[in-house]
Amino acid sequence: MRDFKRRLIGGISLAILAGTATGANAADGKFFERISTYPVFKTLPDGADPATETVAEIISATKDGKTLVFTDSPAEALVFLNIEDPSNPAPAGRTELGGEPTSVTVGANYAFAGVNTSESFTQPSGHLAVVDLNTKEIVAQCDASGQPDSIALSQDGKFVAIAIENERDEDLNDGVIPQLPAGHLTIFDLDADGMPTNCEAARTVEMTGLADVAPTDPEPEFVSINDDNLAVVTLQENNHLAIVDLASGEIVTHFSAGTSSADAIPTQKARLVDGTGSITDVPREPDAVAWIDADRFVTANEGDYEGGSRGFTIWNKDGEVLFDSGAQMEHLGMSHGHYPAKRAHKKGTEPEGVAVGTFGDDTLIFVNSERGNFVAVYKDTGGEPEFVQFLPTHIAPEGLLALAENGLFVVANEKDEAEEGVRAHVGIYKFGADAAEYPQLISETDPKTGAPIGWGAISGMAGDPSDASKIYGVSDSFYDAARIFTLDVSEMPAKIVSYVDLAGGSADKYDLEGIAIRKDGGFWLASEGHPKKELQHYLLQVSSDGTIEQEITLPETLIEQAKRFSLEGVTEAEINGTPVVVVAVQREWNDDPKGMTKLGIYNPADKSWGFVHYPLDAPKSPAGGWVGLSEVTYLGDNKLAVVERDNKGGTDAAIKQVTVVSLDGVTPAAHGEELPVLEKKVVLDLLPQMSATNGWTPDKVEGLAITADGRVLISTDNDGVDDATGESLFFDMGNVSILN
């Protein structure tokens, strides 16, 4: 391993994590704002089933920046997307390739795609497809001598280089390498028009004998070319890097990618987001690579074999580490609620892609988190890079593209499961905003660990009646720990400043969905039951330090009628002169008429339950999903504000609203009796605010808090970044008078 002369492993401050514009920087328009999120299935031909699997993986663009070109591997096609108006993309055609496209790059006249046609792991094959940009027809197919992965075009248009991976079979011998045949680098020479001149006899650069890890089986992953026509190639599984002179086809130098360490990060298999773990001397195993200038490049250290250091590294071309991000990507995921808790014991946020571009006077480095669904934007300083902004993406960001001359940054997101309501998207961001619009909620440092307070899946909120700057929130059963968070909402983004864990209850796990402030101190919590998971339906009386003082159950006759979706919001109220606690049942149970769900009214004085029926907008939303309740908040004068929503997101989202119901003169009935039906008034449509950032509209709007000075705050549940984007929206709808 090389004796690295300089190694910078930086911490990262809350002010930087927030990506909040301050001082002169705010006025210079140096931030990105998302202007569109385009679903890939809309590029399918007319008549195609919209549920057809489509992905956006590696993405490039025409020289004028007006057309995006990306790979759709399930369809074995290149997809063209018109972005003359980047806020309103439009399909511009598809080219069938007759094999799986692994990467694409675009020249002046042609698009070049690596196409995998391998029959098996032991018989890898593939070719370079040359596609005419005018006709979108394949005009040449050149044998690549193996299974292609990444492809790159030199700036002067003279060379196309393809990393030939010949990937391993992970089911063979537990995936241990070597597994021949070996990979290599393939080089095609281009004429002035951009056509390969050696289509029938590509130049091959062998890479065996370089790495300490499986030297007989190099597996090149990614390639990037600088202005001097030097190609840097990552050998991911081999934990190695090579620099190749494309003109001569010679390896100029090569070196190990080495190891990196990170402290105060989540590493437990349990679904916690606590920075209690560390990794030490883990092989970086870089995936994507991009040149910063003629002498330096950056790698995303995803790992795929035995490593993955959860960060990114800046190198010079001699193999010297100039900067290593350490725990920064992990901490960004934690502080922004984007940490993929299910992956904590594996590769965490899993940085995979990198891109570099000059915007204004600054060279910016973009690093994506495949599992955390975000891109971290850094300013190159020549030394330790300066964190600039956190960009939320759709699910599983893969390809990154900096279109600096057009002031655009593009992300290809590949996750697509129509049955689960998850679709692949292309996200477009425009440079020049005066401030970052995201995050809207962020956490401060946890004094127990020195890392940010980990959080996600905020499912209920309540305002502190004595402090206008303070509200409380809870996260649901996605996480192992049932927590009550304290939020400072005196400025935006709001900040999670502390938390307490529940303690002292009889259950192994609680599913917190609602929180209310008790007048005599402490909280009321609604814990959603789940019969199949043996979770009980609880109204919990809890002290301010999180100690459970009382577990209140529903009437047994009602529990017998229970379904999966149960207690959501909770609020302390005074109804017709009686102090009570009101809980919202999300959906109909077996004893409810179609289109009706319940509000439960609990009287702490005599420990009795009464119920009323709430009429849902419809049994189903327009897109076929269900409609239910997420939150209830007392307004005074016998009135309750209720959050009602469907379970659809994106373009299918239709019902995201706040209603007001009155119990003035209404007598709740015991279970088994006929329940009175409330009248409701829709007072707020939340969809315009929820779609304002031009991303995927989340389905779960779940929190409504009214501050002591009368502000109405709304939050969404991000599902713990589990088949969800991870975005948490937190916004101010105005004064409580809007609920009248």
Side-chain angles (χ1 to χ4, degrees), residues 296-317:
R296 298 175 300 141
F297 58 86
V298 57
T299 59
N301 306 323
E302 178 200 25
D304 190 53
Y305 184 47
E306 296 179 339
S309 61
R310 308 189 184 201
F312 65 95
T313 305
I314 296 175
W315 313 73
N316 67 21
K317 63 184 180 183

Side-chain angles (χ1 to χ4, degrees), residues 193-212:
D193 188 51
M195 284 292 290
T197 59
N198 58 336
C199 188
E200 301 301 323
R203 292 190 286 135
T204 297
V205 181
E206 301 295 343
M207 294 190 165
T208 55
L210 304 183
D212 293 331

Side-chain angles (χ1 to χ4, degrees), residues 528-537 558-567 589-590:
E528 184 175 23
H530 194 316
K532 291 184 179 180
K533 293 184 178 180
E534 298 183 351
L535 292 177
Q536 299 297 317
H537 317 279
L558 179 56
I559 293 174
E560 293 172 356
Q561 303 296 322
K563 287 187 176 180
R564 155 71 181 90
F565 299 90
S566 70
L567 304 186
W589 283 6
N590 290 324

Side-chain angles (χ1 to χ4, degrees), residues 517-596:
I517 311 300
R518 290 167 51 205
K519 287 183 179 179
D520 56 354
F523 307 98
W524 294 106
L525 303 177
S527 182
E528 184 175 23
H530 194 316
K532 291 184 179 180
K533 293 184 178 180
E534 298 183 351
L535 292 177
Q536 299 297 317
H537 317 279
Y538 283 127
L539 171 63
L540 302 175
Q541 180 179 311
V542 178
S543 68
S544 58
D545 67 0
T547 301
I548 296 175
E549 299 172 338
Q550 189 177 179
E551 295 176 331
I552 301 163
T553 59
L554 297 171
E556 191 61 37
T557 56
L558 179 56
I559 293 174
E560 293 172 356
Q561 303 296 322
K563 287 187 176 180
R564 155 71 181 90
F565 299 90
S566 70
L567 304 186
E568 285 284 320
V570 60
T571 190
E572 191 172 73
E574 184 173 310
I575 302 299
N576 300 318
T578 301
V580 296
V581 181
V582 182
V583 296
V585 179
Q586 187 167 65
R587 294 177 61 189
E588 307 100 325
W589 283 6
N590 290 324
D591 60 330
D592 292 317
K594 189 175 183 179
M596 293 282 184

